[in-house]
Amino acid sequence: MLLAWALSVLNPAPLSLRRLGYVRQSGLLHARSRRCRAAWAPHLARARGVITAAAESTRQRRHAVVLGSGLLDDVPLGDLARLFDRVSLVDAAHPWPARLAARRNAKVALVTADISAGLSGSWTDRCTSADLIVSANLLSQLPLVPIDAHEARGREAPPRLGAHLVDAHLAALDALARRVERVCLITDTVQREEDRTGRTTDSRDLLFGITVPPAEATWDWEIAPFGEIGRSHRLIHRVNGYTDWKAARR
Ligand SMILES: C[S@@+](CC[C@H](N)C(=O)[O-])C[C@H]1O[C@@H](n2cnc3c(N)ncnc32)[C@H](O)[C@@H]1O
């Protein structure tokens, strides 16, 4: 908790996004990713593999855009910067690994934006010049801060808010896929809770009832190993990887 707090205090994010809760969420993610480094490694390797495959299949290589770039743990930035003339990293809060990466590599630019506003936000200006757009483990995260914001005010979030935000992001990717050569999507879809015997004790739809097409690659992400949320339970997310979202939607 102390590490998450320190990481969010030190993040030089705009006050508006800080107030909404994105910087706090980024600090929590950063701290958890370091605690769960070993458990997350296989998932991060699979996600990077999907993004690299998408990048290598993109013929025009002027500009790659990564939505939800975060800590860059699942983003093969070295490959993207080698293959493309420039790389834009878009997130509501850029933690220090992304800031350092952008400082070290002149091809890499940071764009701070709230992506949940569909295609109406200023971040879409970047996407119109892109050849490759990657949505990197962002989709299921989009509803979290808006739902928390309602609950923090003692109000229940509108029942369709989560579904609306997931649907709006997929619609934005569909629209972008008509304009750019390739769109790559990585998203977790379902969370299951398991006990030490391997029995599923609970499960949750992370996409709020919105369905996605079958993916070329699927894998498990042990997001909270035993000990992270309790001694006798762990959380596992099912992840879908699409190197070509346009083809998957057909
Ligand atoms: C699970 S992380 C993605 C993992 C990330 N690709 C990495 O390697 O660390 C989700 C990211 O989405 C970002 N995010 C969540 N909601 C957002 C929004 N409305 N607009 C922009 N970024 C958002 C978070 O700040 C976080 O960095």
Side-chain angles (χ1 to χ4, degrees):
M1 265 309 170
L2 197 60
L3 177 62
W5 174 81
L7 288 165
S8 57
V9 167
L10 294 174
N11 190 316
L15 194 58
S16 56
L17 292 169
R18 183 180 291 281
R19 280 209 183 110
L20 285 170
Y22 287 107
V23 182
R24 184 175 164 275
Q25 191 202 37
S26 169
L28 289 170
L29 174 75
H30 198 157
R32 179 181 261 197
S33 74
R34 275 32 186 179
R35 283 196 307 274
C36 302
R37 194 188 295 267
W40 288 21
H43 154 68
L44 298 176
R46 292 293 301 266
R48 284 168 175 255
V50 168
I51 298 172
T52 299
E56 285 172 344
S57 306
T58 309
R59 278 177 316 242
Q60 287 260 31
R61 293 177 181 173
R62 294 162 302 188
H63 185 196
V65 175
V66 182
L67 307 176
S69 47
L71 298 159
L72 298 176
D73 282 347
D74 56 23
V75 178
L77 187 64
D79 288 345
L80 294 178
R82 177 174 52 80
L83 292 167
F84 287 80
D85 297 338
R86 59 195 183 101
V87 181
S88 295
L89 305 176
V90 187
D91 205 293
H94 291 288
W96 62 261
R99 292 179 185 278
L100 284 180
R103 206 171 287 173
R104 286 195 192 120
N105 193 329
K107 283 185 172 184
V108 178
L110 301 183
V111 181
T112 303
D114 179 356
I115 295 168
S116 60
L119 274 180
S120 60
S122 58
W123 62 276
T124 53
D125 298 347
R126 294 280 174 151
C127 295
T128 46
S129 67
D131 300 302
L132 169 68
I133 294 175
V134 179
S135 173
N137 274 306
L138 163 73
L139 185 63
S140 67
Q141 303 290 303
L142 287 169
L144 300 186
V145 167
I147 288 176
D148 279 357
H150 279 276
E151 288 171 358
R153 280 185 237 118
R155 293 202 300 252
E156 234 177 77
R160 293 276 307 154
L161 179 61
H164 167 72
L165 291 169
V166 168
D167 209 27
H169 187 65
L170 293 178
L173 293 185
D174 288 340
L176 291 168
R178 288 193 281 276
R179 292 190 227 159
V180 308
E181 186 183 329
R182 188 169 277 259
V183 171
C184 167
L185 169 67
I186 297 168
T187 184
D188 42 9
T189 56
V190 180
Q191 173 178 284
R192 69 179 195 275
E193 188 182 283
E194 267 186 19
D195 66 16
R196 285 197 181 263
T197 68
R199 193 172 56 99
T200 299
T201 51
D202 199 7
S203 87
R204 192 161 68 91
D205 177 1
L206 299 171
L207 300 184
F208 296 84
I210 303 296
T211 53
V212 286
E216 332 142 43
T218 55
W219 62 90
D220 280 342
W221 172 11
E222 190 185 22
I223 192 162
F226 293 113
E228 177 67 17
I229 54 149
R231 283 170 55 190
S232 55
H233 288 85
R234 63 176 182 163
L235 297 179
I236 297 171
H237 285 191
R238 193 73 183 152
V239 183
N240 283 12
Y242 306 86
T243 59
D244 187 350
W245 176 245
K246 207 185 305 189
R249 277 294 220 190
R250 269 186 215 125

